[in-house]
Amino acid sequence: MKELKEQYNLPTGWSVATIEELIDGKDGIFKDGDWIETKDQNPDGEVRLIQLADIGDGFFRNRSDRYMTKERALELNCTFLKKGDILVARMPDPLGRACVFPYTDEEKYVTVVDVAIIRTGQNGVDSRYLTHFINSPQIRKQIEKMQTGTTRKRISRGNLSTIKIPVPPLNEQIRIALKIDELFSALDNEIENLKLIQNQLNIFRQALLKHAFEGKLSEFWRSENNIKPAKELLKIIKAEKLRFYEEELNNWKVNCKHWSDLGKLNKKPTKPSKLKESLKVDKQDVSDYKVLPDNWLWTRIADVVYKVGDINHKMPKSQNYGIPYLSTGNINENGTLNFSNTKLISEEDYLELSKKIKPNLNDIIFPRYGTIGKNVLVNTDKKFLISYSCAIIKTIPHLINPKYLYLYTLSPVLKSEIEKYIVQTTQANIGISSIEKFVFPLCNLKEQEKIVSELEKALSLIDNLEKTINNSHIKSEILKKVILKMAFNGKLVSQNLEDRPITELLTKIVLEKKNRLEALRKQKKQTPKKKIKMAKSLIEIIESEFNHDEFNYDELKAKTNLPYDEIKKQLFALLEKGDKLKSFFDENVETIKYQVLK
């Protein structure tokens, strides 16, 4: 103990103890939650099942909505939660996060087996102090070293029980907890205020984009400049699209001759798609949008770009070197492409997949599944492909400013267009033909450039403010860690030499536990329990009865005469060890199943 105190450099009156040593010997507990399967639950039940999703990092999240009957909870001998209980998540994320249970209702709440329950009791340590310490960087590092499992990381209660905790006198614990709460509350309020500002910035960003593509942002510029009407630009674009198509057609004919000369080996080159007839924009198509300025024109996306398409729908093989093959997962939140840790494909696959279309500088990548509208303006000459989950919009940079078109795809009008055509299935998606139909506010190229210039200046200011807010959030989290470190080094609040040393409380807890154990021994002598003998261990039963087949709890229970608590104890010990048994959730039957590892 002396060595540990020196290691932690503790002030006078402090000591070091484990969680078990800090719990009241009369009414304190430190145990796992209960093994409750889907079959045990009942949506009409009066007992709520607190889950991992409810356990926040220092706060109770209140997210779950699972219930069971009280009768079933009593049958399973569940532990009912009480206000002030500390709930520790034994699975990520983050692993080992803790919060104080806030509700006062008796026998109304239980929790799952992957949540540890700590009830310090009437004469134990202050629960808020202990919660803060469990959430401290010092403990997180220890938990990280003790975690087990490969795909599903976890910390066992046994490992949690070995952690040594620096403990001040009880009165100082209360002072420390109050001070941490005060400082954290101030930091949280600051973050909430910054979040409000961030929300306002998002609203301003959308308002700015809306005004830009209604012509309001360039209104004064138009009054000072004599510009040609957009319909003249549209004629030029139409001629350019025709030229581009004829060029593609001629290239196809050349490739076909080359293919024929080589004996018609492999697949015949794909003929370019014919130019589609322009789809007129009727008044009803834009009735929800503002009237455009004179010399502007509502048209369609397909009318102002070379083409909209996606690559061939074949999944290429991955290799250790080659050409990057990106997906929606490689699109950053800031609208850029992330080429790190990307899938690499062969030159042969690249040529095969990109026969219809491929991304180039100034093209727009438009995700069509899931996060629709999280678009990217390609700003690199790098050779790469993007999966068919994204559309590629090939721009005409000398006639339509690529940034003008890109910023429009982020605007409220475009979001409304997406809502018109989106297909809501298991995963929301939008088709290529729908993207082509999106209405587009066409204006003179010079005015496009002016709008882009004004938007870039304003959006740059917004981006810088958001960066400052994000940095403030990071600094706040760092400050919290510093506060916790100071607290558990005895440097956050002043010491009071009149406080009774914590060793007195620890000694009292030890004595209470000793007396309680003695009372239990006497009770056992008076009412001896029938011992259940097992010819085989639980894993031996599992291996002999199920081999490597999947099984659930009921099937296991039918093979042994052990009570629920004993099966739970041994089964969980096997899962914690992780070398002989695994568990998984079978969605087809909505229950937890088990299987012996091969």
Side-chain angles (χ1 to χ4, degrees), residues 271-483:
K271 186 177 181 178
S273 300
K274 289 183 179 180
L275 283 176
K276 296 178 182 178
E277 287 291 326
S278 179
L279 184 63
K280 184 182 175 183
V281 178
D282 295 323
K283 284 185 179 180
Q284 65 214 32
D285 295 326
V286 291
S287 59
D288 293 332
Y289 310 137
K290 294 284 186 181
V291 176
L292 295 179
D294 294 338
N295 293 331
W296 283 45
L297 178 70
W298 280 116
T299 184
R300 307 274 181 184
I301 291 281
D303 297 331
V304 296
V305 300
Y306 282 129
K307 65 165 86 170
V308 181
D310 57 3
I311 67 168
N312 290 347
H313 292 201
K314 174 193 169 185
M315 185 55 66
K317 290 181 179 179
S318 180
Q319 58 182 47
N320 295 329
Y321 58 90
I323 298 162
Y325 180 88
L326 280 60
S327 66
T328 52
N330 297 108
I331 298 177
N332 296 320
E333 287 297 327
N334 62 355
T336 58
L337 294 173
N338 181 2
F339 284 94
S340 62
N341 299 318
T342 58
K343 180 176 181 176
L344 300 176
I345 63 172
S346 66
E347 178 75 21
E348 183 182 359
D349 279 340
Y350 171 81
L351 292 173
E352 178 63 30
L353 293 172
S354 62
K355 283 181 177 178
K356 290 193 300 179
I357 198 168
K358 60 186 175 183
N360 295 113
L361 180 68
N362 290 322
D363 288 345
I364 294 167
I365 292 171
F366 193 107
R368 303 194 297 115
Y369 293 89
T371 52
I372 297 169
K374 186 181 171 184
N375 310 321
V376 176
L377 177 64
V378 179
N379 62 356
T380 178
D381 286 319
K382 190 179 180 78
K383 191 175 180 180
F384 73 97
L385 281 185
I386 189 85
S387 82
Y388 59 82
S389 61
C390 296
I392 299 167
I393 302 175
K394 296 207 74 66
T395 63
I396 311 174
H398 63 287
L399 297 177
I400 296 291
N401 187 301
K403 287 186 178 177
Y404 177 85
L405 178 52
Y406 166 68
L407 290 169
Y408 173 69
T409 68
L410 306 179
S411 72
V413 173
L414 202 282
K415 289 178 180 177
S416 296
E417 288 294 291
I418 289 172
E419 289 302 316
K420 284 182 188 178
Y421 295 99
I422 197 168
V423 178
Q424 292 288 2
T425 57
T426 306
Q427 186 181 37
N429 64 89
I430 198 158
I432 298 293
S433 61
S434 297
I435 296 172
E436 292 175 328
K437 292 174 188 173
F438 290 164
V439 295
F440 178 77
L442 181 64
C443 62
N444 181 273
L445 183 58
K446 287 185 178 179
E447 188 167 0
Q448 292 175 34
E449 291 166 351
K450 176 63 179 176
I451 290 169
V452 167
S453 174
E454 293 298 320
L455 277 175
E456 284 186 327
K457 283 188 285 187
L459 293 175
S460 177
L461 289 172
I462 294 173
D463 289 341
N464 288 334
L465 284 170
E466 286 183 335
K467 188 176 180 180
T468 301
I469 290 170
N470 290 334
N471 287 339
S472 297
H473 191 280
I474 293 168
K475 286 177 182 176
S476 174
E477 293 303 312
I478 293 171
L479 274 173
K480 284 184 176 182
K481 291 178 180 178
V482 171
I483 290 166

Side-chain angles (χ1 to χ4, degrees), residues 19 37 69 73 83 86 120 137 175 230 301 365 406 417 461 506 512 559 581 591 594:
I19 293 174
E37 299 190 72
T69 63
K83 183 177 181 178
I86 301 169
T120 56
R175 292 199 300 274
I301 291 281
I365 292 171
Y406 166 68
E417 288 294 291
L461 289 172
L506 296 178
E512 284 176 345
K559 302 294 183 181
L581 194 69
T591 191
Y594 313 94

Side-chain angles (χ1 to χ4, degrees), residues 19-29 119-125 505-517 519-520:
I19 293 174
E20 286 280 9
E21 292 167 339
L22 298 175
I23 293 171
D24 185 352
K26 290 181 179 178
D27 58 355
I29 60 172
R119 185 175 299 158
T120 56
Q122 187 176 357
N123 296 317
V125 297
L505 177 60
L506 296 178
T507 303
K508 184 179 178 182
I509 289 173
V510 169
L511 185 59
E512 284 176 345
K513 287 181 178 177
K514 184 179 178 182
N515 293 337
R516 187 181 179 189
L517 284 172
L520 286 171

Side-chain angles (χ1 to χ4, degrees), residues 137-272:
Q138 298 97 311
I139 292 301
R140 287 284 157 81
K141 288 178 182 177
Q142 291 187 54
I143 287 174
E144 191 175 334
K145 291 176 183 177
M146 294 176 179
Q147 67 184 13
T148 58
T150 51
T151 54
R152 300 184 75 191
K153 301 292 184 185
R154 64 173 71 233
I155 176 78
S156 69
R157 185 169 56 85
N159 282 335
L160 278 175
S161 68
T162 65
I163 294 171
K164 300 293 184 181
I165 300 169
V167 196
L170 187 56
N171 287 339
E172 191 172 342
Q173 291 174 37
I174 296 168
R175 292 199 300 274
I176 289 172
L178 287 171
K179 190 64 177 177
I180 291 174
D181 289 343
E182 177 191 337
L183 294 173
F184 277 21
S185 178
L187 288 171
D188 290 340
N189 286 337
E190 183 183 339
I191 292 301
E192 284 303 314
N193 290 333
L194 290 173
K195 283 180 180 177
L196 289 173
I197 296 171
Q198 196 166 32
N199 289 337
Q200 291 300 315
L201 287 174
N202 288 332
I203 293 169
F204 179 60
R205 182 194 295 273
Q206 289 302 302
L208 191 66
L209 289 167
K210 182 175 183 289
H211 289 166
F213 299 106
E214 289 172 352
K216 293 180 181 177
L217 209 59
S218 52
E219 190 171 7
F220 178 75
W221 180 88
R222 274 196 312 277
S223 67
E224 296 289 312
N225 291 272
N226 184 22
I227 57 172
K228 293 181 180 180
K231 61 183 179 181
E232 291 187 16
L233 176 60
L234 189 60
K235 290 178 184 177
I236 298 170
I237 293 171
K238 188 175 182 180
E240 173 59 19
K241 283 171 63 68
L242 180 62
R243 183 204 65 77
F244 180 78
Y245 169 71
E246 288 174 346
E247 182 181 292
E248 281 195 320
L249 196 62
N250 288 331
N251 289 337
W252 172 74
K253 290 176 181 177
V254 170
N255 291 334
C256 283
K257 186 177 184 307
H258 182 65
W259 169 75
S260 181
D261 292 343
L262 292 175
K264 298 184 179 181
L265 299 173
N266 300 322
K267 195 176 178 181
K268 185 178 179 179
T270 305
K271 186 177 181 178

